[in-house]
PDB file of all heavy atoms in Angstrom:
ATOM      1  N   GLY T 171      12.308 -13.734 -17.184  1.00 73.00           N
ATOM      2  CA  GLY T 171      13.582 -13.165 -16.795  1.00 73.00           C
ATOM      3  C   GLY T 171      13.461 -11.910 -15.944  1.00 73.00           C
ATOM      4  O   GLY T 171      14.414 -11.516 -15.272  1.00 73.00           O
ATOM      5  N   PHE T 172      12.290 -11.285 -15.970  1.00 81.00           N
ATOM      6  CA  PHE T 172      12.100 -10.050 -15.232  1.00 81.00           C
ATOM      7  C   PHE T 172      11.986 -10.312 -13.733  1.00 81.00           C
ATOM      8  O   PHE T 172      12.444  -9.528 -12.907  1.00 81.00           O
ATOM      9  CB  PHE T 172      10.837  -9.350 -15.731  1.00 81.00           C
ATOM     10  CG  PHE T 172      10.978  -7.877 -15.884  1.00 81.00           C
ATOM     11  CD1 PHE T 172      11.197  -7.311 -17.125  1.00 81.00           C
ATOM     12  CD2 PHE T 172      10.909  -7.046 -14.781  1.00 81.00           C
ATOM     13  CE1 PHE T 172      11.339  -5.934 -17.258  1.00 81.00           C
ATOM     14  CE2 PHE T 172      11.055  -5.674 -14.906  1.00 81.00           C
ATOM     15  CZ  PHE T 172      11.270  -5.124 -16.157  1.00 81.00           C
ATOM     16  N   PHE T 173      11.344 -11.418 -13.375  1.00 89.00           N
ATOM     17  CA  PHE T 173      11.106 -11.744 -11.973  1.00 89.00           C
ATOM     18  C   PHE T 173      11.960 -12.947 -11.596  1.00 89.00           C
ATOM     19  O   PHE T 173      11.953 -13.962 -12.279  1.00 89.00           O
ATOM     20  CB  PHE T 173       9.624 -12.036 -11.736  1.00 89.00           C
ATOM     21  CG  PHE T 173       8.742 -10.849 -11.989  1.00 89.00           C
ATOM     22  CD1 PHE T 173       8.209 -10.623 -13.254  1.00 89.00           C
ATOM     23  CD2 PHE T 173       8.465  -9.939 -10.986  1.00 89.00           C
ATOM     24  CE1 PHE T 173       7.417  -9.519 -13.504  1.00 89.00           C
ATOM     25  CE2 PHE T 173       7.668  -8.831 -11.218  1.00 89.00           C
ATOM     26  CZ  PHE T 173       7.147  -8.614 -12.481  1.00 89.00           C
ATOM     27  N   SER T 174      12.686 -12.834 -10.490  1.00 90.00           N
ATOM     28  CA  SER T 174      13.631 -13.884 -10.112  1.00 90.00           C
ATOM     29  C   SER T 174      13.933 -13.798  -8.622  1.00 90.00           C
ATOM     30  O   SER T 174      13.964 -12.696  -8.048  1.00 90.00           O
ATOM     31  CB  SER T 174      14.928 -13.732 -10.917  1.00 90.00           C
ATOM     32  OG  SER T 174      15.948 -14.538 -10.371  1.00 90.00           O
ATOM     33  N   PRO T 175      14.190 -14.939  -7.966  1.00 93.00           N
ATOM     34  CA  PRO T 175      14.629 -14.907  -6.566  1.00 93.00           C
ATOM     35  C   PRO T 175      15.951 -14.169  -6.390  1.00 93.00           C
ATOM     36  O   PRO T 175      16.268 -13.730  -5.282  1.00 93.00           O
ATOM     37  CB  PRO T 175      14.777 -16.395  -6.209  1.00 93.00           C
ATOM     38  CG  PRO T 175      14.015 -17.134  -7.241  1.00 93.00           C
ATOM     39  CD  PRO T 175      14.058 -16.308  -8.484  1.00 93.00           C
ATOM     40  N   ASP T 176      16.710 -14.022  -7.462  1.00 92.00           N
ATOM     41  CA  ASP T 176      18.001 -13.338  -7.377  1.00 92.00           C
ATOM     42  C   ASP T 176      17.847 -11.862  -7.017  1.00 92.00           C
ATOM     43  O   ASP T 176      18.820 -11.208  -6.617  1.00 92.00           O
ATOM     44  CB  ASP T 176      18.769 -13.460  -8.691  1.00 92.00           C
ATOM     45  CG  ASP T 176      19.198 -14.886  -8.985  1.00 92.00           C
ATOM     46  OD1 ASP T 176      19.331 -15.669  -8.018  1.00 92.00           O
ATOM     47  OD2 ASP T 176      19.375 -15.230 -10.163  1.00 92.00           O
ATOM     48  N   HIS T 177      16.624 -11.325  -7.164  1.00 93.00           N
ATOM     49  CA  HIS T 177      16.386  -9.917  -6.829  1.00 93.00           C
ATOM     50  C   HIS T 177      16.129  -9.712  -5.332  1.00 93.00           C
ATOM     51  O   HIS T 177      15.903  -8.578  -4.902  1.00 93.00           O
ATOM     52  CB  HIS T 177      15.195  -9.370  -7.622  1.00 93.00           C
ATOM     53  CG  HIS T 177      15.390  -9.401  -9.113  1.00 93.00           C
ATOM     54  ND1 HIS T 177      16.540  -8.953  -9.719  1.00 93.00           N
ATOM     55  CD2 HIS T 177      14.569  -9.819 -10.113  1.00 93.00           C
ATOM     56  CE1 HIS T 177      16.432  -9.102 -11.033  1.00 93.00           C
ATOM     57  NE2 HIS T 177      15.248  -9.630 -11.288  1.00 93.00           N
ATOM     58  N   ARG T 178      16.148 -10.784  -4.567  1.00 95.00           N
ATOM     59  CA  ARG T 178      15.863 -10.665  -3.137  1.00 95.00           C
ATOM     60  C   ARG T 178      16.876  -9.737  -2.468  1.00 95.00           C
ATOM     61  O   ARG T 178      18.086  -9.854  -2.679  1.00 95.00           O
ATOM     62  CB  ARG T 178      15.881 -12.036  -2.470  1.00 95.00           C
ATOM     63  CG  ARG T 178      15.420 -12.029  -1.001  1.00 95.00           C
ATOM     64  CD  ARG T 178      15.230 -13.453  -0.517  1.00 95.00           C
ATOM     65  NE  ARG T 178      14.850 -13.547   0.894  1.00 95.00           N
ATOM     66  CZ  ARG T 178      13.609 -13.441   1.351  1.00 95.00           C
ATOM     67  NH1 ARG T 178      12.613 -13.221   0.507  1.00 95.00           N
ATOM     68  NH2 ARG T 178      13.347 -13.555   2.632  1.00 95.00           N
ATOM     69  N   ASP T 179      16.361  -8.825  -1.652  1.00 95.00           N
ATOM     70  CA  ASP T 179      17.180  -7.806  -0.985  1.00 95.00           C
ATOM     71  C   ASP T 179      16.825  -7.831   0.500  1.00 95.00           C
ATOM     72  O   ASP T 179      15.754  -7.374   0.895  1.00 95.00           O
ATOM     73  CB  ASP T 179      16.886  -6.439  -1.609  1.00 95.00           C
ATOM     74  CG  ASP T 179      17.747  -5.324  -1.049  1.00 95.00           C
ATOM     75  OD1 ASP T 179      18.213  -5.436   0.097  1.00 95.00           O
ATOM     76  OD2 ASP T 179      17.929  -4.312  -1.760  1.00 95.00           O
ATOM     77  N   GLU T 180      17.715  -8.385   1.313  1.00 95.00           N
ATOM     78  CA  GLU T 180      17.421  -8.517   2.738  1.00 95.00           C
ATOM     79  C   GLU T 180      17.282  -7.159   3.429  1.00 95.00           C
ATOM     80  O   GLU T 180      16.510  -7.009   4.374  1.00 95.00           O
ATOM     81  CB  GLU T 180      18.501  -9.361   3.422  1.00 95.00           C
ATOM     82  CG  GLU T 180      18.530 -10.823   2.985  1.00 95.00           C
ATOM     83  CD  GLU T 180      17.249 -11.574   3.352  1.00 95.00           C
ATOM     84  OE1 GLU T 180      16.510 -11.104   4.237  1.00 95.00           O
ATOM     85  OE2 GLU T 180      16.992 -12.643   2.747  1.00 95.00           O
ATOM     86  N   ALA T 181      18.036  -6.161   2.952  1.00 95.00           N
ATOM     87  CA  ALA T 181      17.913  -4.821   3.534  1.00 95.00           C
ATOM     88  C   ALA T 181      16.535  -4.231   3.231  1.00 95.00           C
ATOM     89  O   ALA T 181      15.909  -3.595   4.093  1.00 95.00           O
ATOM     90  CB  ALA T 181      19.019  -3.912   2.995  1.00 95.00           C
ATOM     91  N   LEU T 182      16.054  -4.438   2.008  1.00 96.00           N
ATOM     92  CA  LEU T 182      14.714  -3.966   1.652  1.00 96.00           C
ATOM     93  C   LEU T 182      13.662  -4.700   2.467  1.00 96.00           C
ATOM     94  O   LEU T 182      12.700  -4.092   2.955  1.00 96.00           O
ATOM     95  CB  LEU T 182      14.465  -4.176   0.158  1.00 96.00           C
ATOM     96  CG  LEU T 182      13.047  -3.861  -0.361  1.00 96.00           C
ATOM     97  CD1 LEU T 182      12.675  -2.414  -0.083  1.00 96.00           C
ATOM     98  CD2 LEU T 182      12.952  -4.171  -1.853  1.00 96.00           C
ATOM     99  N   ARG T 183      13.825  -6.000   2.640  1.00 96.00           N
ATOM    100  CA  ARG T 183      12.885  -6.779   3.449  1.00 96.00           C
ATOM    101  C   ARG T 183      12.832  -6.243   4.881  1.00 96.00           C
ATOM    102  O   ARG T 183      11.747  -6.062   5.459  1.00 96.00           O
ATOM    103  CB  ARG T 183      13.290  -8.246   3.447  1.00 96.00           C
ATOM    104  CG  ARG T 183      12.371  -9.146   4.276  1.00 96.00           C
ATOM    105  CD  ARG T 183      12.830 -10.606   4.222  1.00 96.00           C
ATOM    106  NE  ARG T 183      11.946 -11.438   5.019  1.00 96.00           N
ATOM    107  CZ  ARG T 183      12.085 -11.597   6.335  1.00 96.00           C
ATOM    108  NH1 ARG T 183      13.076 -10.981   6.975  1.00 96.00           N
ATOM    109  NH2 ARG T 183      11.242 -12.370   7.003  1.00 96.00           N
ATOM    110  N   ALA T 184      13.990  -5.976   5.455  1.00 95.00           N
ATOM    111  CA  ALA T 184      14.038  -5.442   6.819  1.00 95.00           C
ATOM    112  C   ALA T 184      13.366  -4.083   6.896  1.00 95.00           C
ATOM    113  O   ALA T 184      12.662  -3.770   7.873  1.00 95.00           O
ATOM    114  CB  ALA T 184      15.495  -5.355   7.291  1.00 95.00           C
ATOM    115  N   SER T 185      13.552  -3.260   5.861  1.00 95.00           N
ATOM    116  CA  SER T 185      12.933  -1.937   5.830  1.00 95.00           C
ATOM    117  C   SER T 185      11.414  -2.045   5.759  1.00 95.00           C
ATOM    118  O   SER T 185      10.697  -1.294   6.434  1.00 95.00           O
ATOM    119  CB  SER T 185      13.465  -1.147   4.634  1.00 95.00           C
ATOM    120  OG  SER T 185      12.837   0.110   4.530  1.00 95.00           O
ATOM    121  N   LEU T 186      10.913  -2.992   4.958  1.00 96.00           N
ATOM    122  CA  LEU T 186       9.466  -3.191   4.854  1.00 96.00           C
ATOM    123  C   LEU T 186       8.880  -3.668   6.175  1.00 96.00           C
ATOM    124  O   LEU T 186       7.825  -3.195   6.606  1.00 96.00           O
ATOM    125  CB  LEU T 186       9.161  -4.191   3.738  1.00 96.00           C
ATOM    126  CG  LEU T 186       9.429  -3.705   2.311  1.00 96.00           C
ATOM    127  CD1 LEU T 186       9.347  -4.873   1.325  1.00 96.00           C
ATOM    128  CD2 LEU T 186       8.435  -2.615   1.913  1.00 96.00           C
ATOM    129  N   LEU T 187       9.565  -4.589   6.835  1.00 96.00           N
ATOM    130  CA  LEU T 187       9.089  -5.051   8.146  1.00 96.00           C
ATOM    131  C   LEU T 187       9.081  -3.904   9.155  1.00 96.00           C
ATOM    132  O   LEU T 187       8.167  -3.784   9.978  1.00 96.00           O
ATOM    133  CB  LEU T 187       9.970  -6.196   8.651  1.00 96.00           C
ATOM    134  CG  LEU T 187       9.733  -7.570   8.014  1.00 96.00           C
ATOM    135  CD1 LEU T 187      10.820  -8.550   8.454  1.00 96.00           C
ATOM    136  CD2 LEU T 187       8.351  -8.114   8.374  1.00 96.00           C
ATOM    137  N   GLU T 188      10.103  -3.053   9.078  1.00 95.00           N
ATOM    138  CA  GLU T 188      10.164  -1.897   9.984  1.00 95.00           C
ATOM    139  C   GLU T 188       8.977  -0.964   9.752  1.00 95.00           C
ATOM    140  O   GLU T 188       8.401  -0.423  10.705  1.00 95.00           O
ATOM    141  CB  GLU T 188      11.481  -1.154   9.770  1.00 95.00           C
ATOM    142  CG  GLU T 188      11.680   0.020  10.727  1.00 95.00           C
ATOM    143  CD  GLU T 188      13.001   0.730  10.506  1.00 95.00           C
ATOM    144  OE1 GLU T 188      13.806   0.240   9.683  1.00 95.00           O
ATOM    145  OE2 GLU T 188      13.221   1.781  11.140  1.00 95.00           O
ATOM    146  N   GLN T 189       8.582  -0.776   8.487  1.00 95.00           N
ATOM    147  CA  GLN T 189       7.414   0.052   8.195  1.00 95.00           C
ATOM    148  C   GLN T 189       6.128  -0.541   8.762  1.00 95.00           C
ATOM    149  O   GLN T 189       5.157   0.172   8.998  1.00 95.00           O
ATOM    150  CB  GLN T 189       7.269   0.242   6.685  1.00 95.00           C
ATOM    151  CG  GLN T 189       8.295   1.176   6.074  1.00 95.00           C
ATOM    152  CD  GLN T 189       8.061   1.378   4.589  1.00 95.00           C
ATOM    153  OE1 GLN T 189       8.480   0.563   3.769  1.00 95.00           O
ATOM    154  NE2 GLN T 189       7.383   2.456   4.241  1.00 95.00           N
ATOM    155  N   LEU T 190       6.143  -1.855   8.979  1.00 96.00           N
ATOM    156  CA  LEU T 190       4.984  -2.526   9.554  1.00 96.00           C
ATOM    157  C   LEU T 190       5.087  -2.646  11.070  1.00 96.00           C
ATOM    158  O   LEU T 190       4.242  -3.296  11.704  1.00 96.00           O
ATOM    159  CB  LEU T 190       4.844  -3.932   8.944  1.00 96.00           C
ATOM    160  CG  LEU T 190       4.662  -3.994   7.422  1.00 96.00           C
ATOM    161  CD1 LEU T 190       4.601  -5.438   6.953  1.00 96.00           C
ATOM    162  CD2 LEU T 190       3.409  -3.238   6.989  1.00 96.00           C
ATOM    163  N   GLY T 191       6.118  -2.059  11.652  1.00 94.00           N
ATOM    164  CA  GLY T 191       6.280  -2.100  13.102  1.00 94.00           C
ATOM    165  C   GLY T 191       6.782  -3.428  13.619  1.00 94.00           C
ATOM    166  O   GLY T 191       6.539  -3.780  14.778  1.00 94.00           O
ATOM    167  N   LEU T 192       7.512  -4.176  12.792  1.00 94.00           N
ATOM    168  CA  LEU T 192       8.013  -5.492  13.183  1.00 94.00           C
ATOM    169  C   LEU T 192       9.534  -5.527  13.055  1.00 94.00           C
ATOM    170  O   LEU T 192      10.072  -5.305  11.977  1.00 94.00           O
ATOM    171  CB  LEU T 192       7.405  -6.579  12.298  1.00 94.00           C
ATOM    172  CG  LEU T 192       5.897  -6.835  12.431  1.00 94.00           C
ATOM    173  CD1 LEU T 192       5.421  -7.763  11.324  1.00 94.00           C
ATOM    174  CD2 LEU T 192       5.577  -7.428  13.788  1.00 94.00           C
ATOM    175  N   PRO T 193      10.262  -5.817  14.134  1.00 92.00           N
ATOM    176  CA  PRO T 193      11.718  -5.944  14.021  1.00 92.00           C
ATOM    177  C   PRO T 193      12.116  -7.181  13.232  1.00 92.00           C
ATOM    178  O   PRO T 193      13.173  -7.228  12.614  1.00 92.00           O
ATOM    179  CB  PRO T 193      12.175  -6.035  15.474  1.00 92.00           C
ATOM    180  CG  PRO T 193      10.976  -6.554  16.220  1.00 92.00           C
ATOM    181  CD  PRO T 193       9.783  -5.993  15.511  1.00 92.00           C
ATOM    182  N   ARG T 194      11.260  -8.188  13.258  1.00 92.00           N
ATOM    183  CA  ARG T 194      11.472  -9.415  12.482  1.00 92.00           C
ATOM    184  C   ARG T 194      10.103 -10.073  12.311  1.00 92.00           C
ATOM    185  O   ARG T 194       9.138  -9.710  12.970  1.00 92.00           O
ATOM    186  CB  ARG T 194      12.451 -10.349  13.197  1.00 92.00           C
ATOM    187  CG  ARG T 194      11.936 -10.876  14.515  1.00 92.00           C
ATOM    188  CD  ARG T 194      12.967 -11.699  15.239  1.00 92.00           C
ATOM    189  NE  ARG T 194      14.131 -10.911  15.589  1.00 92.00           N
ATOM    190  CZ  ARG T 194      14.198 -10.141  16.690  1.00 92.00           C
ATOM    191  NH1 ARG T 194      13.158 -10.051  17.512  1.00 92.00           N
ATOM    192  NH2 ARG T 194      15.272  -9.459  16.956  1.00 92.00           N
ATOM    193  N   GLY T 195      10.042 -11.053  11.414  1.00 93.00           N
ATOM    194  CA  GLY T 195       8.771 -11.735  11.227  1.00 93.00           C
ATOM    195  C   GLY T 195       8.585 -12.209   9.804  1.00 93.00           C
ATOM    196  O   GLY T 195       9.496 -12.137   8.963  1.00 93.00           O
ATOM    197  N   HIS T 196       7.389 -12.671   9.525  1.00 94.00           N
ATOM    198  CA  HIS T 196       7.006 -13.227   8.223  1.00 94.00           C
ATOM    199  C   HIS T 196       6.382 -12.096   7.411  1.00 94.00           C
ATOM    200  O   HIS T 196       5.443 -11.437   7.865  1.00 94.00           O
ATOM    201  CB  HIS T 196       5.996 -14.352   8.460  1.00 94.00           C
ATOM    202  CG  HIS T 196       5.688 -15.174   7.251  1.00 94.00           C
ATOM    203  ND1 HIS T 196       6.618 -15.455   6.281  1.00 94.00           N
ATOM    204  CD2 HIS T 196       4.537 -15.779   6.850  1.00 94.00           C
ATOM    205  CE1 HIS T 196       6.061 -16.205   5.340  1.00 94.00           C
ATOM    206  NE2 HIS T 196       4.796 -16.411   5.658  1.00 94.00           N
ATOM    207  N   LEU T 197       6.902 -11.865   6.207  1.00 96.00           N
ATOM    208  CA  LEU T 197       6.459 -10.733   5.381  1.00 96.00           C
ATOM    209  C   LEU T 197       5.619 -11.244   4.210  1.00 96.00           C
ATOM    210  O   LEU T 197       6.129 -11.914   3.302  1.00 96.00           O
ATOM    211  CB  LEU T 197       7.664  -9.952   4.868  1.00 96.00           C
ATOM    212  CG  LEU T 197       7.366  -8.737   3.974  1.00 96.00           C
ATOM    213  CD1 LEU T 197       6.506  -7.718   4.718  1.00 96.00           C
ATOM    214  CD2 LEU T 197       8.665  -8.099   3.493  1.00 96.00           C
TER     215      LEU T 197
END
Side-chain angles (χ1 to χ4, degrees):
F172 222 100
F173 296 90
S174 167
D176 293 335
H177 299 313
R178 187 170 177 84
D179 184 334
E180 293 296 341
L182 174 59
R183 180 180 180 276
S185 177
L186 291 169
L187 283 171
E188 183 179 354
Q189 287 183 277
L190 300 177
L192 293 170
R194 65 185 63 84
H196 190 34
L197 180 60

